[in-house]
Amino acid sequence: YIKSSDQMVELFKDTPEAIENTQRINEMCQFQLETGVNHMPEFPIPERRSLTDHLDAITWEGMERRVKEVDTRYRERLDYELDVIKKMGFPGYFLITHDFVNYAKQENIPVDPGRGSAAGSLVAYSLGITDLDPLQYDLLFERFLNPDRVSMPDIDIDFCYDRREEVIDYMRDRFGHDSVTQIITFNKLKARAVIRDVGRVLEVPIKETDRIAKLVPEELGIKLPAALKKSPELKQASELDEVHEQLFDYSQVLEGMNRNAGKHAAGLVIAPGILTDYIPLYKSAKDGSVTSQYDMKALEDVGLIKFDFLGLRTLTVIQEAVDLIKKHRDVDINISEIPMDDPEVYKLFSDGLTIGLFQFESSGMREYLKKLKPTVLEDLFAMNALYRPGPMGNINDFIARKHGEQKVTSLHPLMENILKETYGIIVYQEQVMQLGSEIAGFSLSKADLMRRAMGKKIKSLMDEMKEEFISGARKNDINEKLARQIWDLIEKFAEYGFNKSHSAAYSVIAYQTAYLKTHYPVEFMAANMSSEKDNTDKIQMLLAECRKLGIKIIPPDVNASHVHFSPGEGKSIIYGLNAIKKVGGKAAEAIMEERETNGPFESIFDFCSRVDSHNLNKGVVEALVGCGGMDTLPGTRWEQFLSVEDAVYHGQRVQTLKNTNQTDLFGGGGGESAMIREPELSDAPSWNNMDLLNREREYIGFYLTGHPLHGYELEIQAFSNVDLVDLTTTRDEQDVRIGGIISGMKIHYDKRNNQMAFFTLNGLDGAIEALTFSDAFSKHKEYIANDSLVFMEGRVSKRSDDDVKVLVNKVIRLEEAQNEYAREVHISFDPNVIPGADLDEMQVMAKRYSGACNLVFHLREGNKRERVMLARNVRVSANRSFIRGLRESFGQDNVWLA
């Protein structure tokens, strides 16, 4: 709020000179903020070379080195790109980018093969900034730099997640710490967030603001006025009473305002001199870090150059896997030189075994890959681009056309070659540009303007370009009616078209992860789990995948585990010490270092006396005991657990004695030969199986060596309709039914002082948070308790992929699930192989366990097509004993419920 001139005059009527002085100062200040001029940092180049000459020299040299056959196409393309870069004034930008990427590669810091539209540049490829040959994959330079639309170049670079800071430090050292800083970002109040924030201030119950916020349609960037028009329920909520009216009035005023300031995840700005000569800076009150006070858009307006240094976890995983392969198999792998046409790798994609693979691991993607059965890298490019809201509707047509089940058609022969790779479907923005060029004779630069106008729905520019498009098409002997049809088709797909350069580069990373998983699954999965050590949900997903791949997981062991997950004997992975809760990196490293230097530990007391006590405390030792990490040492877990305090104290005394060279005052002798005697282990009975498993869950985050649900896999698989391995596939308000074991239950009270419960339901391969309001809790209270094995029914409440809960309305005991939910019992067998005695026994059992379920037979006779038959006049029970008996006769996997 800024007071008006009249208000200020009134406020300062006793000192009018204050008003006069304000005006005088205003008149004395003459400053015009300079925009439209680029302030490029100076890049050091060899003497007697200009900036452009140096760029020419190293670019041509790079292309000769990287391209096997440099023909006319390559020479003309490189000449053209260099000419555009020089005219736009960006040689320095490319040289700086080349410099820090080259530094990273020299220091063995993993760098991505490309990201965004820069992968379409042959100059970037020749300089080693990207690793995709743009001519080989038909990528366009104009999608990256357009001479008809002058804007700063934008090359985003992904680095190894763990070593990204090293490259940023290099830039500070290279250009000066006063000239380099990270960039500010402002988090804005969006529709749902502003309702929740205002609701909290107005003291509207959290449950009510949550309900209202979820009524805002899930559309990217939707504003409250538009949401009120689209959602009658939201409109109704805004008119309930005076408080609700205030909630919406205030929210609409505040929507879009900055909520708080933060540090941009990747942006780095470099000035040609001291930063404060060009921009104001901002110091965070939270951690004292300094950023620009201008955001990225404002920095571009004042002509400062910014670079994006992103950390990509997958690059870390790839490097870790390559290092493990070298260490354990003595095989050197250059991941950028692996064959890109390996049939076994494409089979992995075709089988949907993509858990752990970059950008291809969601359940929906896995199902589409099984149908598509990709055979070439371009299939992966397309799936990466299509598996997004909007274009996803074209996936089934794409698959049908690949397999010849649907005819590939084009409106005009000129379109056929451009769309051949994607079976006649417009998938990429680059295809939109090529169509504009081929059909209407546009330059690729102009075709890029057409693409942007269509994608951003800039009506005035679209109307203008539409007429030019039709006019250009006529010159190619395309009549006006057909030209309009082609325009309409392009316009429809342009909105959904994806950047092919980005999709191609990221698909190459996905292929690299698939190659490692195919040929070195143990090392790849170990590297993946090490990277996700703090994410128990992801670890469980990866462990489930290991079981599918036949990889055995060896539990933590102070005499076998390394700091991170590591390959064991045969096809196995040893659980990493650093992934155990309360065991930090320093403690894990100290344990490893001591064991490798002085041999295996012989007891819990020996362990505590040898591992540096500065890195070892009671909590660390309890965690190691509780998770089973000391099972190979003398004593049961309970005996060890009761002895932890004695062991830690013993270890501290031994180390103090050793470090101070004191004599043993307690053992009667002198010198180091008379060390303090080890205490005895405390006597205690063994923990029961449930105690063991619960301790594992406490210190690891989930059950590892066993599971309370073992024996109930049949019911959980048959009757759960949500995959806890991948909760991101659930949608808000989805009805779900899930089986599992309850843990972490907490009782709360609502405003009417009625009990409600929060708890975690742990499934076989994942967990989900649950909330039971008072009505449901009072009905099912007897089943809602820690360690209860249950099936729960309810609705998903989803704020984000990381915030998913179930609002529970029904709970039953897991033992009752078969009787409650089973409708059919299925048996699969080959009648030529199964003995008649088994069939006779099955008939006897069916009569004994009569019930309400249909009995369905699946007859498999050699290579003949499977026959499915419903047993007439036979209805059976889903009784556990009955099902167990059937599985003993016909095989574990040949009997299931539905």
Side-chain angles (χ1 to χ4, degrees):
Y1 170 55
I2 300 176
K3 293 179 173 65
S4 67
S5 300
D6 291 341
Q7 286 174 305
M8 294 298 288
V9 169
E10 177 61 26
L11 279 171
F12 289 87
K13 59 187 175 186
D14 295 335
T15 50
E17 62 273 19
I19 303 297
E20 293 169 12
N21 286 340
T22 302
Q23 184 58 34
R24 284 179 62 199
I25 292 168
N26 177 39
E27 290 168 353
M28 290 164 64
C29 292
Q30 298 296 325
F31 174 71
Q32 183 66 43
L33 189 66
E34 188 179 40
T35 59
V37 176
N38 290 335
H39 301 291
M40 189 71 67
E42 287 188 25
F43 182 79
I45 54 174
E47 289 183 21
R48 286 176 287 188
R49 257 194 195 172
S50 68
L51 207 63
T52 54
D53 286 345
H54 186 58
L55 178 65
D56 280 343
I58 64 173
T59 304
W60 282 102
E61 178 190 322
M63 189 178 72
E64 295 287 347
R65 186 174 61 253
R66 302 203 78 178
V67 179
K68 290 178 181 177
E69 295 181 17
V70 180
D71 57 22
T72 306
R73 288 185 315 139
Y74 281 93
R75 294 185 183 281
E76 289 179 352
R77 172 75 170 257
L78 200 65
D79 271 332
Y80 165 70
E81 288 192 20
L82 285 168
D83 186 52
V84 169
I85 290 166
K86 291 171 193 173
K87 284 179 180 175
M88 294 179 80
F90 299 139
Y93 180 90
F94 279 83
L95 289 171
I96 292 169
T97 306
H98 158 72
D99 182 63
F100 67 73
V101 170
N102 189 49
Y103 165 79
K105 290 180 176 179
Q106 285 178 347
E107 295 297 315
N108 292 318
I109 299 171
V111 186
D112 68 355
R115 191 182 202 278
S117 56
S121 167
L122 185 59
V123 169
Y125 177 66
S126 300
L127 291 172
I129 295 169
T130 62
D131 289 324
L132 261 74
D133 182 341
L135 273 69
Q136 181 181 345
Y137 296 110
D138 209 16
L139 308 179
L140 304 182
F141 175 70
E142 288 79 5
R143 178 62 187 84
F144 169 53
L145 276 186
N146 188 334
D148 293 343
R149 179 176 59 86
V150 178
S151 60
M152 297 291 271
D154 188 14
I155 302 179
D156 298 341
I157 307 289
D158 291 312
F159 296 99
C160 164
Y161 184 83
D162 291 339
R163 301 186 66 190
R164 167 180 169 268
E165 286 296 327
E166 293 179 42
V167 189
I168 294 175
D169 288 341
Y170 169 77
M171 295 298 280
R172 290 193 178 106
D173 293 339
R174 187 87 157 109
F175 292 97
H177 287 244
D178 292 337
S179 301
V180 180
T181 193
Q182 288 180 269
I183 299 171
I184 204 167
T185 186
F186 298 102
N187 302 313
K188 298 186 179 296
L189 283 164
K190 296 180 182 176
R192 290 188 172 190
V194 76
I195 287 172
R196 289 191 170 104
D197 277 3
V198 172
R200 189 165 56 250
V201 174
L202 294 178
E203 296 184 348
V204 178
I206 292 174
K207 184 179 174 182
E208 175 65 359
T209 51
D210 192 50
R211 180 188 73 84
I212 294 169
K214 287 179 177 177
L215 294 174
V216 176
E218 288 192 45
E219 289 182 24
L220 191 64
I222 193 168
K223 300 285 179 65
L224 279 176
L228 286 163
K229 289 178 182 176
K230 288 193 172 186
S231 171
E233 295 92 345
L234 190 69
K235 178 72 175 168
Q236 186 180 7
S238 71
E239 299 167 348
L240 279 175
D241 53 34
E242 186 179 347
V243 173
H244 283 76
E245 287 175 7
Q246 283 184 321
L247 173 65
F248 279 84
D249 288 344
Y250 297 155
S251 293
Q252 288 185 74
V253 171
L254 296 171
E255 184 181 22
M257 289 188 177
N258 291 337
R259 191 176 193 269
N260 51 34
K263 189 187 295 183
H264 191 273
L268 198 74
V269 61
I270 305 175
I274 296 173
L275 279 162
T276 47
D277 289 347
Y278 297 89
I279 56 168
L281 300 179
Y282 169 82
K283 185 175 182 179
S284 168
K286 187 186 295 182
D287 60 10
S289 61
V290 175
T291 63
S292 65
Q293 203 174 122
Y294 289 163
D295 66 9
M296 287 177 30
K297 178 67 177 68
L299 287 171
E300 187 174 328
D301 290 341
V302 297
L304 283 181
I305 200 79
K306 64 99 179 168
F307 297 87
D308 281 338
F309 292 69
L310 296 105
L312 186 61
R313 190 181 298 277
T314 303
L315 296 177
T316 310
V317 170
I318 290 172
Q319 186 61 48
E320 175 73 10
V322 168
D323 291 344
L324 287 174
I325 293 163
K326 171 62 177 171
K327 182 177 179 181
H328 290 272
R329 301 200 193 201
D330 198 25
V331 175
D332 277 313
I333 293 178
N334 185 335
I335 201 66
S336 62
E337 294 180 2
I338 59 173
M340 304 303 286
D341 56 356
D342 188 330
E344 290 183 61
V345 176
Y346 288 108
K347 186 178 186 305
L348 187 85
F349 282 105
S350 299
D351 291 341
L353 293 173
T354 56
I355 293 290
L357 302 194
F358 182 58
Q359 295 209 330
F360 281 83
E361 64 179 346
S362 72
S363 59
M365 175 66 91
R366 296 199 299 270
E367 291 307 309
Y368 280 126
L369 287 170
K370 289 177 191 176
K371 296 176 185 175
L372 175 66
K373 303 203 177 303
T375 52
V376 291
L377 202 55
E378 285 78 2
D379 287 343
L380 301 183
F381 296 176
M383 279 304 297
N384 203 359
L386 287 169
Y387 193 74
R388 301 166 196 279
M392 195 179 283
N394 298 314
I395 294 179
N396 285 325
D397 287 342
F398 182 87
I399 292 170
R401 292 183 182 193
K402 175 178 171 63
H403 296 304
E405 296 163 3
Q406 190 182 103
K407 191 176 179 183
V408 177
T409 58
S410 294
L411 290 174
H412 191 276
L414 285 174
M415 303 172 71
E416 288 176 6
N417 195 47
I418 295 168
L419 302 181
K420 180 182 178 183
E421 176 188 325
T422 53
Y423 309 107
I425 298 169
I426 301 173
V427 173
Y428 306 118
Q429 295 168 350
E430 286 85 343
Q431 289 174 319
V432 171
M433 294 166 62
Q434 289 170 314
L435 289 169
S437 177
E438 282 293 317
I439 302 295
F442 289 171
S443 67
L444 285 171
S445 297
K446 190 167 187 175
D448 186 47
L449 295 177
M450 178 192 79
R451 172 197 66 78
R452 290 186 76 252
M454 288 176 166
K456 295 182 179 292
K457 295 193 174 297
I458 307 171
K459 190 174 185 308
S460 57
L461 186 54
M462 281 171 65
D463 291 344
E464 179 187 325
M465 298 200 83
K466 183 175 183 178
E467 296 310 311
E468 289 186 55
F469 181 90
I470 293 166
S471 174
R474 282 201 206 100
K475 293 175 184 175
N476 279 324
D477 298 324
I478 300 171
N479 64 56
E480 183 174 335
K481 182 180 177 182
L482 181 56
R484 290 184 182 277
Q485 281 183 287
I486 295 171
W487 172 273
D488 290 342
L489 180 71
I490 296 173
E491 183 184 349
K492 174 186 171 185
F493 282 92
E495 184 180 354
Y496 299 133
F498 193 70
N499 183 336
K500 184 182 180 184
S501 295
H502 182 71
S503 185
Y506 267 23
S507 295
V508 167
I509 299 177
Y511 182 93
Q512 290 171 346
T513 59
Y515 180 88
L516 292 170
K517 186 176 180 182
T518 300
H519 297 290
Y520 306 97
V522 169
E523 290 83 0
F524 175 73
M525 296 303 288
N528 237 313
M529 287 191 282
S530 294
S531 176
E532 300 286 358
K533 68 181 188 304
D534 298 322
N535 185 341
T536 53
D537 290 341
K538 193 65 184 286
I539 289 285
Q540 286 184 87
M541 182 192 296
L542 294 169
L543 287 172
E545 188 71 358
C546 284
R547 285 192 285 273
K548 276 188 191 175
L549 298 171
I551 299 172
K552 182 182 178 183
I553 302 299
I554 298 172
D557 181 354
V558 292
N559 277 331
S561 293
H562 294 75
V563 175
H564 302 298
F565 290 85
S566 58
E569 293 294 324
K571 200 173 182 182
S572 67
I573 293 174
I574 306 172
Y575 207 92
L577 294 172
N578 199 18
I580 302 166
K581 293 183 178 182
K582 297 188 180 180
V583 181
K586 287 185 178 178
E589 287 166 10
I591 294 166
M592 270 282 299
E593 184 179 340
E594 173 58 32
R595 188 182 76 216
E596 290 184 350
T597 304
N598 297 310
F601 302 107
E602 295 179 3
S603 70
I604 186 173
F605 304 107
D606 179 49
F607 175 85
C608 290
S609 66
R610 287 169 50 190
V611 178
D612 188 343
S613 59
H614 292 98
N615 299 310
L616 209 62
N617 57 35
K618 182 182 174 185
V620 172
V621 183
E622 283 181 343
L624 289 166
V625 171
C627 74
M630 293 193 177
D631 281 1
T632 54
L633 304 182
T636 66
R637 285 194 205 177
W638 189 217
E639 287 171 342
Q640 291 173 351
F641 202 83
L642 291 176
S643 303
V644 167
E645 200 164 322
D646 288 343
V648 172
Y649 179 60
H650 169 76
Q652 289 170 346
R653 291 177 69 201
V654 169
Q655 291 183 38
T656 301
L657 175 68
K658 184 176 178 181
N659 293 335
T660 57
N661 291 319
Q662 293 179 16
T663 58
D664 180 6
L665 302 178
F666 307 101
E672 290 193 23
S673 61
M675 297 300 290
I676 298 170
R677 187 176 300 148
E678 279 191 6
E680 296 289 330
L681 279 169
S682 300
D683 287 329
S686 298
W687 280 331
N688 63 38
N689 191 52
M690 199 65 212
D691 286 331
L692 287 171
L693 293 176
N694 281 336
R695 291 285 183 177
E696 277 184 14
R697 192 189 67 221
E698 180 182 350
Y699 293 115
I700 292 179
F702 48 86
Y703 303 108
L704 180 64
T705 59
H707 205 293
L709 297 174
H710 284 167
Y712 290 94
E713 291 91 342
L714 178 68
E715 293 93 326
I716 291 169
Q717 183 180 357
F719 307 128
S720 294
N721 65 355
V722 169
D723 186 357
L724 290 179
V725 166
D726 193 0
L727 289 173
T728 59
T729 58
T730 58
R731 63 182 187 281
D732 196 28
E733 305 281 325
Q734 178 179 333
D735 290 325
V736 294
R737 183 201 293 153
I738 319 167
I741 180 171
I742 292 175
S743 67
M745 193 191 81
K746 293 178 183 175
I747 299 291
H748 288 255
Y749 292 86
D750 62 18
K751 287 195 168 182
R752 294 173 297 171
N753 208 35
N754 293 325
Q755 287 185 328
M756 51 193 289
F758 292 83
F759 60 87
T760 300
L761 190 80
N762 300 276
L764 287 164
D765 295 315
I768 192 167
E769 299 301 313
L771 167 59
T772 310
F773 290 114
S774 55
D775 289 347
F777 183 66
S778 63
K779 285 180 189 174
H780 307 290
K781 190 174 182 178
E782 61 180 306
Y783 304 133
I784 302 174
N786 283 331
D787 298 334
S788 287
L789 306 182
V790 300
F791 253 96
M792 71 180 188
E793 298 178 23
R795 273 186 305 107
V796 169
S797 172
K798 185 176 184 180
R799 291 190 181 184
S800 69
D801 284 349
D802 298 322
D803 186 3
V804 183
K805 290 183 176 64
V806 173
L807 306 182
V808 181
N809 54 46
K810 182 178 179 179
V811 181
I812 67 167
R813 289 193 307 151
L814 195 54
E815 291 175 355
E816 300 169 1
Q818 292 190 177
N819 292 330
E820 178 84 10
Y821 301 126
R823 299 292 176 265
E824 295 175 338
V825 176
H826 291 252
I827 305 174
S828 174
F829 64 95
D830 186 336
N832 298 317
V833 175
I834 294 291
D838 285 346
L839 296 177
D840 293 339
E841 175 63 20
M842 186 261 303
Q843 288 181 321
V844 172
M845 290 173 67
K847 288 178 181 178
R848 189 188 315 152
Y849 291 103
S850 63
C853 297
N854 290 322
L855 185 61
V856 182
F857 297 120
H858 298 253
L859 305 183
R860 298 177 280 104
E861 297 184 63
N863 294 324
K864 293 181 182 177
R865 188 171 182 176
E866 180 180 274
R867 288 185 296 147
V868 181
M869 298 171 58
L870 175 66
R872 292 183 181 179
N873 304 320
V874 178
R875 305 273 279 181
V876 295
S877 164
N879 179 281
R880 290 176 61 79
S881 297
F882 176 48
I883 301 302
R884 192 182 306 116
L886 291 177
R887 296 186 115 180
E888 287 172 0
S889 297
F890 295 94
Q892 188 78 5
D893 298 327
N894 293 327
V895 178
W896 66 93
L897 300 173

